[in-house]
Amino acid sequence: MIVNLYVYDEHQCDPKKCTGRKLMKFNLAQEIASLRRIPHGAVVLTPYAEKAISREDTKAALAHGLVVMDMSWNQITDFPKLRSDLQQRALPYLLAANPVNWGKPLKLSSVEALAASLYIMGIKEQALQILSKFSWGEQFIKLNQEPLDSYAAVRTSAEVVKVQMEFVPPERSE
């Protein structure tokens, strides 16, 4: 099982540190130059989605692809409006392992977001493959092993959100 991965790049981050560009360089993802070019029915990762990524998204991702919006966390309030035919999904609570945001909750790089989504949907081999291109990639799985396995063990978005509460520190759950 291989999911077509897509990167919509807003060119807001340092090109040398951009994980989306590195995935495209290794032909592990394709660039989408315009929001209109996102495949109909694709699963799009957005921090503003009402549903969390889960195993129930696997079929849509396999059929239409998985899209990451490669943007700077510093400019996330400028997130573009997406078409209604897209499956918009948020990631559950995870910690970043990338050098820029190491240990910060929810501030994942594009490759971490894609890998987490693939892992949660049960496509672990592809998740590990894309992370292998980064010296810190394996650390992302190690740092998040327990939550990733727990999210992957349940089927629905609602179950992922419920399981997530086991990993959110008490001061963040308010």
Side-chain angles (χ1 to χ4, degrees), residues 1-5 41-45 52-67 87 89-92 113-127 130 147-157 160:
M1 291 193 306
I2 298 284
V3 172
N4 288 327
L5 303 178
V43 178
V44 181
L45 301 174
I53 191 86
S54 69
R55 282 196 177 264
E56 63 187 343
D57 296 309
T58 307
K59 187 176 177 184
L62 285 167
H64 307 288
L66 178 63
V67 181
Q87 312 296 315
R89 298 293 181 265
L91 287 163
L114 289 168
S117 300
L118 291 166
Y119 197 101
I120 292 166
M121 290 187 294
I123 307 168
K124 294 177 186 176
E125 266 184 45
Q126 189 176 2
I130 64 173
L148 283 170
D149 287 340
S150 297
Y151 302 147
V154 297
R155 173 135 179 77
T156 68
S157 172
V160 167

Short mmCIF file of all heavy atoms in Angstrom, two decimals, residues 1-5 41-45 52-67 87 89-92 113-127 130 147-157 160:
data_model
loop_
_atom_site.label_atom_id
_atom_site.label_comp_id
_atom_site.label_asym_id
_atom_site.label_seq_id
_atom_site.Cartn_x
_atom_site.Cartn_y
_atom_site.Cartn_z
N MET A 1 0.84 -1.18 0.00
CA MET A 1 0.00 0.00 0.00
C MET A 1 0.89 1.24 0.00
O MET A 1 1.68 1.44 0.90
CB MET A 1 -0.88 0.04 1.25
CG MET A 1 -1.95 -1.01 1.31
SD MET A 1 -3.21 -0.73 2.60
CE MET A 1 -2.24 -0.54 4.07
N ILE A 2 0.71 2.05 -1.01
CA ILE A 2 1.44 3.32 -1.10
C ILE A 2 0.43 4.44 -1.32
O ILE A 2 -0.42 4.37 -2.20
CB ILE A 2 2.45 3.30 -2.29
CG1 ILE A 2 3.50 2.22 -2.09
CG2 ILE A 2 3.09 4.67 -2.47
CD1 ILE A 2 4.56 2.55 -1.08
N VAL A 3 0.57 5.48 -0.52
CA VAL A 3 -0.27 6.66 -0.65
C VAL A 3 0.51 7.71 -1.43
O VAL A 3 1.69 7.95 -1.15
CB VAL A 3 -0.64 7.22 0.75
CG1 VAL A 3 -1.34 8.56 0.64
CG2 VAL A 3 -1.50 6.23 1.52
N ASN A 4 -0.13 8.32 -2.41
CA ASN A 4 0.49 9.45 -3.12
C ASN A 4 0.53 10.63 -2.16
O ASN A 4 -0.51 11.03 -1.62
CB ASN A 4 -0.29 9.82 -4.37
CG ASN A 4 -0.13 8.80 -5.47
OD1 ASN A 4 0.93 8.19 -5.60
ND2 ASN A 4 -1.17 8.60 -6.25
N LEU A 5 1.73 11.17 -1.95
CA LEU A 5 1.91 12.29 -1.05
C LEU A 5 2.08 13.58 -1.85
O LEU A 5 2.77 13.59 -2.87
CB LEU A 5 3.15 12.07 -0.16
CG LEU A 5 3.15 10.80 0.67
CD1 LEU A 5 4.43 10.67 1.46
CD2 LEU A 5 1.93 10.74 1.59
N GLY A 41 -11.26 14.82 -3.31
CA GLY A 41 -11.38 13.73 -2.35
C GLY A 41 -10.12 13.45 -1.54
O GLY A 41 -10.10 12.55 -0.70
N ALA A 42 -9.04 14.21 -1.77
CA ALA A 42 -7.79 13.98 -1.06
C ALA A 42 -7.95 14.30 0.43
O ALA A 42 -8.82 15.09 0.83
CB ALA A 42 -6.67 14.85 -1.64
N VAL A 43 -7.11 13.68 1.24
CA VAL A 43 -7.05 13.98 2.67
C VAL A 43 -6.01 15.09 2.84
O VAL A 43 -4.86 14.94 2.43
CB VAL A 43 -6.65 12.73 3.49
CG1 VAL A 43 -6.53 13.07 4.97
CG2 VAL A 43 -7.64 11.60 3.27
N VAL A 44 -6.43 16.22 3.40
CA VAL A 44 -5.56 17.38 3.57
C VAL A 44 -5.36 17.64 5.06
O VAL A 44 -6.33 17.76 5.82
CB VAL A 44 -6.15 18.64 2.90
CG1 VAL A 44 -5.22 19.83 3.06
CG2 VAL A 44 -6.43 18.39 1.43
N LEU A 45 -4.10 17.74 5.46
CA LEU A 45 -3.77 17.99 6.86
C LEU A 45 -3.84 19.48 7.14
O LEU A 45 -3.19 20.28 6.47
CB LEU A 45 -2.38 17.45 7.18
CG LEU A 45 -2.23 15.95 6.93
CD1 LEU A 45 -0.79 15.52 7.13
CD2 LEU A 45 -3.16 15.15 7.83
N ALA A 52 -10.00 14.44 13.44
CA ALA A 52 -8.61 13.99 13.51
C ALA A 52 -8.38 12.89 12.48
O ALA A 52 -9.30 12.14 12.13
CB ALA A 52 -8.30 13.45 14.91
N ILE A 53 -7.16 12.79 12.00
CA ILE A 53 -6.78 11.71 11.09
C ILE A 53 -6.97 10.39 11.82
O ILE A 53 -6.72 10.29 13.02
CB ILE A 53 -5.33 11.90 10.58
CG1 ILE A 53 -5.01 10.96 9.42
CG2 ILE A 53 -4.31 11.73 11.69
CD1 ILE A 53 -5.40 11.46 8.09
N SER A 54 -7.45 9.37 11.10
CA SER A 54 -7.67 8.06 11.72
C SER A 54 -7.65 6.99 10.63
O SER A 54 -7.55 7.29 9.44
CB SER A 54 -9.01 8.03 12.46
OG SER A 54 -10.09 8.09 11.54
N ARG A 55 -7.78 5.75 11.06
CA ARG A 55 -7.81 4.64 10.11
C ARG A 55 -8.95 4.76 9.10
O ARG A 55 -8.84 4.27 7.99
CB ARG A 55 -7.91 3.30 10.85
CG ARG A 55 -6.59 2.87 11.42
CD ARG A 55 -6.67 1.38 11.78
NE ARG A 55 -5.37 0.93 12.27
CZ ARG A 55 -4.48 0.34 11.51
NH1 ARG A 55 -4.72 0.11 10.24
NH2 ARG A 55 -3.33 -0.05 12.02
N GLU A 56 -10.02 5.43 9.49
CA GLU A 56 -11.15 5.56 8.56
C GLU A 56 -10.81 6.45 7.35
O GLU A 56 -11.55 6.48 6.38
CB GLU A 56 -12.42 6.03 9.27
CG GLU A 56 -12.35 7.38 9.90
CD GLU A 56 -13.58 7.73 10.75
OE1 GLU A 56 -14.64 7.07 10.62
OE2 GLU A 56 -13.48 8.67 11.54
N ASP A 57 -9.66 7.12 7.38
CA ASP A 57 -9.21 7.95 6.25
C ASP A 57 -8.33 7.19 5.26
O ASP A 57 -7.98 7.71 4.21
CB ASP A 57 -8.45 9.17 6.76
CG ASP A 57 -9.33 10.08 7.59
OD1 ASP A 57 -10.42 10.44 7.11
OD2 ASP A 57 -8.94 10.42 8.73
N THR A 58 -7.97 5.96 5.60
CA THR A 58 -7.04 5.18 4.78
C THR A 58 -7.53 5.02 3.34
O THR A 58 -6.78 5.24 2.39
CB THR A 58 -6.78 3.80 5.41
OG1 THR A 58 -6.38 3.99 6.77
CG2 THR A 58 -5.70 3.04 4.65
N LYS A 59 -8.79 4.66 3.18
CA LYS A 59 -9.34 4.42 1.84
C LYS A 59 -9.26 5.68 0.96
O LYS A 59 -8.82 5.61 -0.19
CB LYS A 59 -10.79 3.93 1.95
CG LYS A 59 -11.39 3.49 0.66
CD LYS A 59 -12.79 2.94 0.86
CE LYS A 59 -13.44 2.54 -0.45
NZ LYS A 59 -14.82 2.09 -0.27
N ALA A 60 -9.64 6.82 1.52
CA ALA A 60 -9.59 8.09 0.76
C ALA A 60 -8.15 8.46 0.43
O ALA A 60 -7.86 8.91 -0.68
CB ALA A 60 -10.27 9.21 1.54
N ALA A 61 -7.24 8.27 1.39
CA ALA A 61 -5.83 8.61 1.14
C ALA A 61 -5.24 7.71 0.06
O ALA A 61 -4.50 8.19 -0.81
CB ALA A 61 -5.02 8.50 2.43
N LEU A 62 -5.55 6.43 0.09
CA LEU A 62 -5.05 5.52 -0.94
C LEU A 62 -5.61 5.87 -2.32
O LEU A 62 -4.91 5.80 -3.32
CB LEU A 62 -5.37 4.07 -0.58
CG LEU A 62 -4.52 3.45 0.52
CD1 LEU A 62 -5.14 2.14 1.01
CD2 LEU A 62 -3.09 3.23 0.06
N ALA A 63 -6.86 6.27 -2.36
CA ALA A 63 -7.51 6.58 -3.64
C ALA A 63 -7.15 7.96 -4.18
O ALA A 63 -6.98 8.13 -5.39
CB ALA A 63 -9.04 6.47 -3.48
N HIS A 64 -7.01 8.96 -3.30
CA HIS A 64 -6.88 10.35 -3.76
C HIS A 64 -5.63 11.07 -3.28
O HIS A 64 -5.34 12.17 -3.75
CB HIS A 64 -8.12 11.15 -3.34
CG HIS A 64 -9.41 10.52 -3.76
ND1 HIS A 64 -9.83 10.50 -5.07
CD2 HIS A 64 -10.34 9.86 -3.05
CE1 HIS A 64 -10.99 9.85 -5.14
NE2 HIS A 64 -11.32 9.46 -3.92
N GLY A 65 -4.91 10.50 -2.33
CA GLY A 65 -3.68 11.10 -1.85
C GLY A 65 -3.81 11.79 -0.51
O GLY A 65 -4.91 11.99 0.01
N LEU A 66 -2.64 12.14 0.03
CA LEU A 66 -2.52 12.82 1.32
C LEU A 66 -1.73 14.10 1.07
O LEU A 66 -0.64 14.06 0.49
CB LEU A 66 -1.80 11.91 2.31
CG LEU A 66 -1.52 12.44 3.71
CD1 LEU A 66 -2.83 12.73 4.46
CD2 LEU A 66 -0.68 11.42 4.49
N VAL A 67 -2.26 15.24 1.51
CA VAL A 67 -1.66 16.54 1.23
C VAL A 67 -1.24 17.22 2.53
O VAL A 67 -2.02 17.28 3.49
CB VAL A 67 -2.67 17.46 0.50
CG1 VAL A 67 -2.05 18.82 0.18
CG2 VAL A 67 -3.21 16.80 -0.75
N GLN A 87 -11.05 16.12 2.25
CA GLN A 87 -11.19 15.52 3.58
C GLN A 87 -10.18 16.22 4.50
O GLN A 87 -9.02 15.83 4.53
CB GLN A 87 -10.89 14.02 3.55
CG GLN A 87 -11.57 13.24 2.44
CD GLN A 87 -13.08 13.25 2.59
OE1 GLN A 87 -13.59 13.05 3.67
NE2 GLN A 87 -13.77 13.46 1.50
N ARG A 89 -8.26 17.08 7.79
CA ARG A 89 -7.98 16.35 9.01
C ARG A 89 -6.87 17.03 9.81
O ARG A 89 -5.92 17.56 9.26
CB ARG A 89 -7.54 14.90 8.71
CG ARG A 89 -8.59 14.06 8.02
CD ARG A 89 -9.79 13.80 8.92
NE ARG A 89 -10.79 12.96 8.26
CZ ARG A 89 -11.86 13.43 7.60
NH1 ARG A 89 -12.07 14.74 7.50
NH2 ARG A 89 -12.71 12.60 7.05
N ALA A 90 -7.00 16.97 11.12
CA ALA A 90 -5.98 17.48 12.04
C ALA A 90 -5.23 16.29 12.62
O ALA A 90 -5.72 15.16 12.63
CB ALA A 90 -6.65 18.27 13.16
N LEU A 91 -4.04 16.57 13.10
CA LEU A 91 -3.26 15.54 13.76
C LEU A 91 -3.55 15.55 15.26
O LEU A 91 -3.78 16.62 15.83
CB LEU A 91 -1.76 15.77 13.53
CG LEU A 91 -1.31 15.45 12.12
CD1 LEU A 91 0.03 16.07 11.84
CD2 LEU A 91 -1.25 13.95 11.92
N PRO A 92 -3.51 14.40 15.89
CA PRO A 92 -3.67 14.37 17.35
C PRO A 92 -2.38 14.83 18.03
O PRO A 92 -1.38 15.12 17.36
CB PRO A 92 -3.96 12.90 17.63
CG PRO A 92 -3.29 12.16 16.53
CD PRO A 92 -3.38 13.07 15.32
N ALA A 113 4.30 15.40 9.90
CA ALA A 113 2.85 15.35 9.75
C ALA A 113 2.43 14.23 8.80
O ALA A 113 1.50 13.46 9.09
CB ALA A 113 2.34 16.70 9.25
N LEU A 114 3.12 14.12 7.68
CA LEU A 114 2.80 13.05 6.72
C LEU A 114 3.09 11.68 7.33
O LEU A 114 2.26 10.76 7.23
CB LEU A 114 3.60 13.23 5.43
CG LEU A 114 3.19 14.40 4.54
CD1 LEU A 114 4.24 14.64 3.46
CD2 LEU A 114 1.81 14.16 3.92
N ALA A 115 4.24 11.53 7.97
CA ALA A 115 4.62 10.25 8.56
C ALA A 115 3.64 9.85 9.66
O ALA A 115 3.22 8.68 9.74
CB ALA A 115 6.04 10.30 9.09
N ALA A 116 3.27 10.79 10.52
CA ALA A 116 2.31 10.50 11.58
C ALA A 116 0.98 10.04 10.99
O ALA A 116 0.39 9.05 11.46
CB ALA A 116 2.11 11.72 12.46
N SER A 117 0.52 10.72 9.96
CA SER A 117 -0.75 10.35 9.31
C SER A 117 -0.68 8.95 8.72
O SER A 117 -1.60 8.14 8.91
CB SER A 117 -1.09 11.36 8.22
OG SER A 117 -1.23 12.65 8.76
N LEU A 118 0.40 8.67 8.01
CA LEU A 118 0.56 7.33 7.42
C LEU A 118 0.60 6.27 8.52
O LEU A 118 -0.06 5.23 8.40
CB LEU A 118 1.85 7.28 6.60
CG LEU A 118 1.86 8.10 5.31
CD1 LEU A 118 3.28 8.23 4.77
CD2 LEU A 118 0.93 7.48 4.26
N TYR A 119 1.33 6.52 9.56
CA TYR A 119 1.46 5.57 10.68
C TYR A 119 0.09 5.31 11.30
O TYR A 119 -0.30 4.15 11.51
CB TYR A 119 2.42 6.14 11.71
CG TYR A 119 2.95 5.13 12.70
CD1 TYR A 119 4.23 4.61 12.54
CD2 TYR A 119 2.21 4.71 13.79
CE1 TYR A 119 4.75 3.70 13.45
CE2 TYR A 119 2.70 3.80 14.69
CZ TYR A 119 3.98 3.29 14.52
OH TYR A 119 4.47 2.38 15.42
N ILE A 120 -0.65 6.37 11.59
CA ILE A 120 -1.98 6.24 12.20
C ILE A 120 -2.93 5.48 11.29
O ILE A 120 -3.75 4.69 11.76
CB ILE A 120 -2.53 7.64 12.57
CG1 ILE A 120 -1.69 8.24 13.72
CG2 ILE A 120 -4.01 7.59 12.93
CD1 ILE A 120 -1.90 9.73 13.95
N MET A 121 -2.82 5.69 9.97
CA MET A 121 -3.69 4.98 9.02
C MET A 121 -3.25 3.54 8.80
O MET A 121 -3.89 2.81 8.06
CB MET A 121 -3.75 5.74 7.69
CG MET A 121 -4.49 7.05 7.78
SD MET A 121 -4.74 7.84 6.16
CE MET A 121 -3.08 8.25 5.67
N GLY A 122 -2.15 3.13 9.42
CA GLY A 122 -1.69 1.74 9.29
C GLY A 122 -0.71 1.51 8.15
O GLY A 122 -0.45 0.37 7.79
N ILE A 123 -0.16 2.57 7.60
CA ILE A 123 0.77 2.46 6.48
C ILE A 123 2.17 2.80 7.03
O ILE A 123 2.80 3.79 6.65
CB ILE A 123 0.32 3.36 5.31
CG1 ILE A 123 -1.14 3.06 4.96
CG2 ILE A 123 1.21 3.16 4.09
CD1 ILE A 123 -1.79 4.03 4.04
N LYS A 124 2.62 1.98 7.94
CA LYS A 124 3.84 2.27 8.70
C LYS A 124 5.11 2.21 7.86
O LYS A 124 6.03 3.00 8.07
CB LYS A 124 3.94 1.30 9.89
CG LYS A 124 2.84 1.52 10.90
CD LYS A 124 2.90 0.52 12.04
CE LYS A 124 1.69 0.70 12.94
NZ LYS A 124 1.62 -0.28 13.99
N GLU A 125 5.17 1.30 6.90
CA GLU A 125 6.39 1.18 6.07
C GLU A 125 6.68 2.48 5.33
O GLU A 125 7.82 2.94 5.28
CB GLU A 125 6.26 0.03 5.07
CG GLU A 125 6.84 -1.26 5.57
CD GLU A 125 6.78 -2.36 4.52
OE1 GLU A 125 7.11 -2.10 3.34
OE2 GLU A 125 6.39 -3.47 4.89
N GLN A 126 5.64 3.07 4.74
CA GLN A 126 5.84 4.32 4.01
C GLN A 126 6.19 5.46 4.98
O GLN A 126 7.01 6.31 4.65
CB GLN A 126 4.59 4.67 3.19
CG GLN A 126 4.81 5.84 2.25
CD GLN A 126 3.60 6.14 1.36
OE1 GLN A 126 2.55 5.50 1.46
NE2 GLN A 126 3.75 7.13 0.50
N ALA A 127 5.61 5.44 6.17
CA ALA A 127 5.95 6.45 7.18
C ALA A 127 7.43 6.38 7.52
O ALA A 127 8.12 7.41 7.54
CB ALA A 127 5.10 6.24 8.43
N ILE A 130 9.74 7.65 4.50
CA ILE A 130 9.92 9.09 4.30
C ILE A 130 10.74 9.71 5.44
O ILE A 130 11.51 10.62 5.21
CB ILE A 130 8.59 9.85 4.06
CG1 ILE A 130 7.66 9.79 5.26
CG2 ILE A 130 7.90 9.33 2.79
CD1 ILE A 130 6.41 10.66 5.13
N PRO A 147 1.95 7.08 21.76
CA PRO A 147 0.74 7.68 21.19
C PRO A 147 0.46 7.22 19.76
O PRO A 147 -0.70 6.93 19.42
CB PRO A 147 0.98 9.18 21.26
CG PRO A 147 2.39 9.38 21.66
CD PRO A 147 2.90 8.10 22.20
N LEU A 148 1.49 7.11 18.93
CA LEU A 148 1.25 6.67 17.54
C LEU A 148 0.62 5.28 17.51
O LEU A 148 -0.34 5.04 16.77
CB LEU A 148 2.56 6.68 16.75
CG LEU A 148 3.05 8.04 16.28
CD1 LEU A 148 4.47 7.95 15.73
CD2 LEU A 148 2.12 8.66 15.24
N ASP A 149 1.15 4.36 18.32
CA ASP A 149 0.59 3.00 18.36
C ASP A 149 -0.85 3.02 18.88
O ASP A 149 -1.70 2.29 18.38
CB ASP A 149 1.45 2.07 19.22
CG ASP A 149 2.76 1.70 18.53
OD1 ASP A 149 2.86 1.82 17.29
OD2 ASP A 149 3.69 1.27 19.24
N SER A 150 -1.12 3.88 19.86
CA SER A 150 -2.48 3.98 20.41
C SER A 150 -3.45 4.56 19.38
O SER A 150 -4.58 4.07 19.24
CB SER A 150 -2.48 4.85 21.68
OG SER A 150 -1.70 4.25 22.68
N TYR A 151 -3.03 5.60 18.65
CA TYR A 151 -3.89 6.20 17.63
C TYR A 151 -4.14 5.21 16.49
O TYR A 151 -5.24 5.15 15.93
CB TYR A 151 -3.28 7.48 17.06
CG TYR A 151 -2.99 8.57 18.06
CD1 TYR A 151 -1.90 9.41 17.88
CD2 TYR A 151 -3.79 8.77 19.19
CE1 TYR A 151 -1.61 10.43 18.79
CE2 TYR A 151 -3.50 9.78 20.10
CZ TYR A 151 -2.41 10.60 19.89
OH TYR A 151 -2.12 11.61 20.79
N ALA A 152 -3.11 4.44 16.14
CA ALA A 152 -3.24 3.48 15.04
C ALA A 152 -4.11 2.29 15.43
O ALA A 152 -4.64 1.59 14.56
CB ALA A 152 -1.85 3.00 14.61
N ALA A 153 -4.27 2.05 16.72
CA ALA A 153 -5.03 0.89 17.20
C ALA A 153 -6.54 1.11 17.17
O ALA A 153 -7.31 0.16 17.27
CB ALA A 153 -4.59 0.52 18.62
N VAL A 154 -6.97 2.36 17.05
CA VAL A 154 -8.41 2.65 17.02
C VAL A 154 -8.83 3.00 15.59
O VAL A 154 -8.01 3.25 14.72
CB VAL A 154 -8.79 3.77 18.01
CG1 VAL A 154 -8.50 3.33 19.44
CG2 VAL A 154 -8.10 5.08 17.70
N ARG A 155 -10.12 2.98 15.34
CA ARG A 155 -10.61 3.13 13.97
C ARG A 155 -11.05 4.55 13.60
O ARG A 155 -10.75 5.03 12.53
CB ARG A 155 -11.75 2.14 13.75
CG ARG A 155 -12.45 2.31 12.44
CD ARG A 155 -12.71 1.04 11.69
NE ARG A 155 -13.41 1.31 10.44
CZ ARG A 155 -12.84 1.80 9.36
NH1 ARG A 155 -11.57 2.08 9.34
NH2 ARG A 155 -13.54 2.02 8.26
N THR A 156 -11.78 5.23 14.49
CA THR A 156 -12.43 6.48 14.10
C THR A 156 -11.74 7.72 14.66
O THR A 156 -10.98 7.65 15.63
CB THR A 156 -13.90 6.51 14.58
OG1 THR A 156 -13.89 6.58 16.01
CG2 THR A 156 -14.68 5.29 14.11
N SER A 157 -12.08 8.85 14.08
CA SER A 157 -11.57 10.14 14.54
C SER A 157 -11.96 10.37 16.00
O SER A 157 -11.14 10.82 16.80
CB SER A 157 -12.14 11.25 13.66
OG SER A 157 -11.82 12.51 14.18
N VAL A 160 -9.70 8.46 18.21
CA VAL A 160 -8.36 9.06 18.25
C VAL A 160 -8.37 10.24 19.22
O VAL A 160 -7.47 10.38 20.07
CB VAL A 160 -7.89 9.50 16.85
CG1 VAL A 160 -6.66 10.41 16.93
CG2 VAL A 160 -7.59 8.29 15.98
#
